[in-house]
Amino acid sequence: MDQNIAILLYLVASVFFILALRGLSHPESSRAGNRYGIAGMILAVVTTLAVLPEVNYVLILAGIVIGGAIGAVIAKKIEMTALPQLVAAFHSLVGLAAVFVAVAAFYNPAAYGIGQTGDIKVASLIEMSIGAAIGAITFTGSIIAFAKLQGVMSGKPIVFPMQHWLNLGLGILTLVFIVWLSASESDLAFWLIVVLSLLLGLLIIIPIGGADMPVVISMLNSYSGWAAAGIGFTLQNNLLIVAGALVGSSGAILSYVMCKGMNRSFFSVILGGFGGETAAPSGEDMGDRTHREGAAADAAYMMRNAEKVIIVPGYGFAVAQAQHALREMADLLKAEGVDVKYAIHPVAGRMPGHMNVLLAEANVPYDEVFEMDEINREFAESDVAFVIGANDVTNPAAKTDKASPIYGMPVLDVEKTPQVFVVKRSMASGYAGVDNPLFYMDNTMMLLSDAKKMCEGIVKALGE
């Protein structure tokens, strides 16, 4: 294929990727965004294969078939509740791929047009070392995130003395080895960069607690993009640079938006997170800590006779896979003339957009779903708040208790609603390990049950 035609096709593919990101910015256009992304990737792969002078098409096809089959099986079998750890696992593969490409380029530079063994261009050495470092950090960091989300290891932060200084030292040492590699093209320097980066990825993520996990997912997404962009420079592939930069920048912006929604600085999340490391009792007086318990019939009666109900979903709602039962409950309430809305906190669940994905799967109308900033003022004007599986994002201590580890994080003002129902399996604290005074307020009734079973019970009571 002529090089000019290839450049033009790469440009078209880049436009598709930009349209994909634009489409994924809203649920109504997300499917179109996915189609643009698929079209762009197919065009990019076909163009790349046509440009390369020597290609083993059998090997390439085998890789596509095997990888595609594995991906299809995972996509079919994965539960919606497991999407956060699936995303983390995919990020790890992107990081590992960046490391492998850097290794291949280092030991066979002629194949990539960056020089000969022992005489690689300095710029290419810098590019591949940075790409390998970011890729290695992404790989081990994503593995730890996956393990925490999957429950293989504790979601609480793992901290030890001088932890930040150790991370800083490893980071500086990695930069020193990059300079060494650029000056000497030493095999030892290259592998020390990879090993130190793998260790740094592990150490960066282990101190981050459960409450910050959605930010971690978006942050690792950004890392994977920058790793791809760095390797794009090594391969002299403009499309890979553009695609990597798009993913890296969008992930960084999303991380910033989420940190702003949590009243957190991005660097405070990276340098330790919050959650278990501050699991000491809060300083707020929760009274006698007694709570009222109710049943499905109580909630059905109150919501049927309400004018306006706001539903607040959280991770417990996702674990119970209650989205379809909740949608049925909401439909019955709307049939009774009740105004039903959904309130979504920016970090509800364990990845960005977790609740939106679940509600979309249940075909909840988009115009009934509102972000926190849009709906927070409406809680005081509503009759009932139905909190289903949410804990930390509804904790009023975040606004008043300076001793609380989540102090300063904007939360949903559900406590201002005259009647609050909270669906939980037990009175245990949420993922951040913080007790919630909302549970003990006079206007709160606890519905201690599996979220799906409780919604089904309410549906039955409404039907009667």
Side-chain angles (χ1 to χ4, degrees):
M1 179 183 291
D2 182 75
Q3 193 66 30
N4 291 329
I5 296 177
I7 292 173
L8 178 61
L9 292 176
Y10 278 154
L11 179 61
V12 174
S14 299
V15 172
F16 276 132
F17 290 149
I18 294 171
L19 291 174
L21 282 178
R22 179 177 176 82
L24 292 172
S25 65
H26 194 278
E28 290 183 346
S29 58
S30 60
R31 292 191 179 185
N34 273 322
R35 287 192 288 268
Y36 283 127
I38 292 170
M41 185 55 66
I42 291 174
L43 181 59
V45 171
V46 171
T47 303
T48 302
L49 293 178
V51 168
L52 295 176
E54 297 180 8
V55 179
N56 187 334
Y57 287 103
V58 174
L59 188 61
I60 295 293
L61 182 61
I64 292 175
V65 170
I66 294 172
I70 294 173
V73 171
I74 292 175
K76 287 288 185 182
K77 290 190 174 182
I78 195 71
E79 296 180 355
M80 299 299 287
T81 52
L83 277 180
Q85 48 264 53
L86 176 66
V87 171
F90 282 168
H91 288 161
S92 74
L93 296 178
V94 176
L96 187 60
V99 174
F100 283 163
V101 172
V103 171
F106 183 71
Y107 284 101
N108 189 12
Y112 298 92
I114 59 175
Q116 300 294 326
T117 303
D119 187 26
I120 301 176
K121 298 175 183 177
V122 174
S124 297
L125 287 171
I126 295 174
E127 292 160 3
M128 74 171 66
S129 58
I130 292 175
I134 298 176
I137 291 172
T138 304
F139 174 66
T140 49
S142 298
I143 292 296
I144 296 300
F146 171 85
K148 287 193 172 192
L149 291 167
Q150 187 67 16
V152 176
M153 67 182 294
S154 172
K156 294 183 178 180
I158 299 173
V159 295
F160 52 85
M162 303 294 289
Q163 189 169 31
H164 299 327
W165 289 106
L166 175 60
N167 291 345
L168 178 62
L170 290 175
I172 293 174
L173 202 55
T174 301
L175 293 176
V176 171
F177 289 147
I178 290 176
V179 174
W180 177 17
L181 175 68
S182 303
S184 65
E185 201 175 316
S186 166
D187 287 26
L188 178 60
F190 178 82
W191 286 108
L192 283 174
I193 291 170
V194 172
V195 171
L196 287 181
S197 299
L198 290 170
L199 180 60
L200 190 57
L202 185 151
L203 293 174
I204 285 175
I205 303 301
I206 60 172
I208 297 179
D212 283 334
M213 198 51 65
V215 180
V216 172
I217 296 298
S218 61
M219 177 191 72
L220 291 171
N221 178 55
S222 178
Y223 283 2
S224 67
W226 296 124
I231 294 303
F233 282 104
T234 301
L235 300 179
Q236 299 179 16
N237 188 308
N238 292 332
L239 180 62
L240 190 56
I241 295 171
V242 171
L246 284 173
V247 173
S249 57
S250 61
I253 292 170
L254 179 60
S255 299
Y256 170 77
V257 170
M258 296 184 70
C259 285
K260 186 178 179 181
M262 298 164 64
N263 195 30
R264 301 276 287 164
S265 75
F266 182 77
F267 290 106
S268 70
V269 174
I270 299 302
L271 295 177
F274 64 80
E277 82 277 15
T278 50
S282 85
E284 183 157 292
D285 181 12
M286 296 189 187
D288 58 6
R289 292 174 58 86
T290 58
H291 64 275
R292 293 189 301 145
E293 292 187 21
D298 301 316
Y301 176 79
M302 290 295 295
M303 288 193 287
R304 169 186 280 143
N305 290 282
E307 291 185 6
K308 185 174 183 178
V309 173
I310 299 180
I311 298 171
V312 181
Y315 186 68
F317 158 75
V319 171
Q321 299 184 48
Q323 58 268 35
H324 296 288
L326 181 67
R327 163 69 192 274
E328 186 178 1
M329 182 193 86
D331 286 346
L332 289 174
L333 290 174
K334 287 188 289 184
E336 298 272 356
V338 180
D339 180 17
V340 178
K341 294 183 177 180
Y342 298 81
I344 307 297
H345 192 279
V347 294
R350 295 188 185 175
M351 77 171 189
H354 199 176
M355 298 301 104
N356 302 77
V357 170
L358 290 169
L359 295 176
E361 187 198 15
N363 294 317
V364 171
Y366 299 130
D367 58 0
E368 294 178 7
V369 182
F370 297 87
E371 298 297 327
M372 178 179 67
D373 292 340
E374 299 174 307
I375 200 169
N376 232 7
R377 63 181 180 275
E378 295 188 30
F379 281 101
E381 304 166 1
S382 302
D383 300 297
V384 176
F386 187 76
V387 181
I388 177 167
N391 192 331
D392 302 322
V393 299
T394 62
N395 194 331
K399 295 179 286 188
T400 59
D401 184 9
K402 294 183 178 180
S404 172
I406 62 172
Y407 177 72
M409 182 179 85
V411 293
L412 292 161
D413 296 333
V414 295
E415 78 279 1
K416 296 181 180 179
T417 314
Q419 177 63 59
V420 180
F421 290 103
V422 179
V423 182
K424 278 177 58 67
R425 291 178 183 270
S426 69
M427 293 297 294
S429 59
Y431 198 47
V434 183
D435 205 355
N436 192 340
L438 173 70
F439 302 160
Y440 314 107
M441 292 183 174
D442 294 337
N443 60 329
T444 299
M445 182 174 289
M446 302 298 298
L447 305 176
L448 300 181
S449 173
D450 173 84
K452 183 178 180 181
K453 291 181 179 178
M454 178 55 65
C455 287
E456 290 173 344
I458 295 173
V459 167
K460 182 179 179 180
L462 289 172
E464 294 174 348

